[in-house]
């Protein structure tokens, strides 16, 4: 049976995302994001499900760095989950003196904890589910977890639907080895990582290649290149699919301008938002323009 490795253990938001993306594939939790990516690269799993960005805490750097290095992996689907937490404990709220969770989770419930558990000390765990396991073992009093955790860990639910930012969301990617891409839908996202030249205006040149083709960015992050102090990679998401002429032309232009470009995937957007098309930037406009140039070269038009 095909397998999806996901950033575990059981009872995390990533498990919820993997459930929504899996067809008949078996879900297998692994300890780290790096382990999920490595399992696909080694052929131990057919795909990996990992978080890539959170609307409150920003990019998941372990995922970005893992995609930029080693053998390429390509995103073929994404899931977008609302991030509302549950607080699980062994005893009553009056006995809670320590609350454990992943740093991103603690940051997103800081105000709730200050109001409801003002005397409790927060403790960092490797994941929300690992925090629940630690509470089971008696190491801490309570854990901030994904709602699905209650299915795996027999703890008391002190609160649910907890979130300082009610519309907070996390985006997850389903990653596979390079191969056949999903068909374009008109509501797609393309992702790349580019190492721009270290000179004045290099990033502006990259963004100009997208802007002149009417391509709308959906995310831009910078990460340092290990071993090259002051050098950065740019992770860029934008509307459209590599099968489209305007997107293909933009990627070719970026490949010319950059020291290195890695394609990270084209797939349907989880929110279904269609690409914004500026006047003169529709795919037919690019096709017709190329046809005109071809005719000029042949001497058929002037």
């Amino acid at each position: 049976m095909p397998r999806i490795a996901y950033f575990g253990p059981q009872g995390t938001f990533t498990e919820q995302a993997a459930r929504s993306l899996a067809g008949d594939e078996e879900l297998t939790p692994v300890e780290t994001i790096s382990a999920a990516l490595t399992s696909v690269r080694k052929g131990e799993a057919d795909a990996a499900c990992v978080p890539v960005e959170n609307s409150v805490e920003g990019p998941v750097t372990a995922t970005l760095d893992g995609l930029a290095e080693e053998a390429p992996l390509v995103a073929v689907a994404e899931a977008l989950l609302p991030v509302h937490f549950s607080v699980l404990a062994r005893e009553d709220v009056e006995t809670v003196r320590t609350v454990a969770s992943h740093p991103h989770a603690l940051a997103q419930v800081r105000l709730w904890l200050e109001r409801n558990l003002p005397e409790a000390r927060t403790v960092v765990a490797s994941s929300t589910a690992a925090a629940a396991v630690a509470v089971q073992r008696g190491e801490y009093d309570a854990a901030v977890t994904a709602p699905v955790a209650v299915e795996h860990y027999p703890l008391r639910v002190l609160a649910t639907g907890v979130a300082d930012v009610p519309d907070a969301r996390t985006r997850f990617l389903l990653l596979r080895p390079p191969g056949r891409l999903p068909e374009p839908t008109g509501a797609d996202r393309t992702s790349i990582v580019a190492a721009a030249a270290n000179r004045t205006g290099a990033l502006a040149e990259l963004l100009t290649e997208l802007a002149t083709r009417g391509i709308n960015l959906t995310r831009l992050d910078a990460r340092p290149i290990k071993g090259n102090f002051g050098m950065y990679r740019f992770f860029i998401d934008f509307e459209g699919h590599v099968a489209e002429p305007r997107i293909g032309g933009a990627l070719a232009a970026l490949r010319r301008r950059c020291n290195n470009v890695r394609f990270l995937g084209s797939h349907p957007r989880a929110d279904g938002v269609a690409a914004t098309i500026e006047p003169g930037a529709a795919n037919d406009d690019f096709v017709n323009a190329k046809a005109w140039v071809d005719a000029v070269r042949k001497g058929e038009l002037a």
Side-chain angles (χ1 to χ4, degrees), residues 45 61 87 131 143 176 195 199 219 222 226 256 269 272-273 286:
T61 56
V87 180
R176 298 187 187 275
R199 57 180 173 78
R219 184 172 64 94
K226 296 176 183 177
R256 291 195 309 270
R269 291 179 57 158
V273 175
F286 285 87

Side-chain angles (χ1 to χ4, degrees), residues 24-102:
D24 59 354
E25 294 166 301
E26 177 186 1
L27 301 183
T28 303
V30 295
E31 292 185 0
T32 65
I33 289 172
S34 177
L37 303 182
T38 297
S39 66
V40 180
R41 289 175 171 134
K42 289 184 174 180
E44 298 168 352
D46 300 280
C49 182
V50 294
V52 67
E53 65 172 328
N54 175 266
S55 62
V56 177
E57 291 301 297
V60 180
T61 56
T63 297
L64 298 188
D65 291 345
L67 291 176
E69 300 163 358
E70 301 186 37
L73 295 174
V74 176
V76 297
E78 67 178 32
L80 194 62
L81 295 187
V83 181
H84 296 160
F85 298 91
S86 293
V87 180
L88 308 183
R90 289 179 293 113
E91 305 293 343
D92 295 332
V93 66
E94 290 79 8
T95 65
V96 174
R97 295 293 177 267
T98 53
V99 179
S101 196
H102 187 274

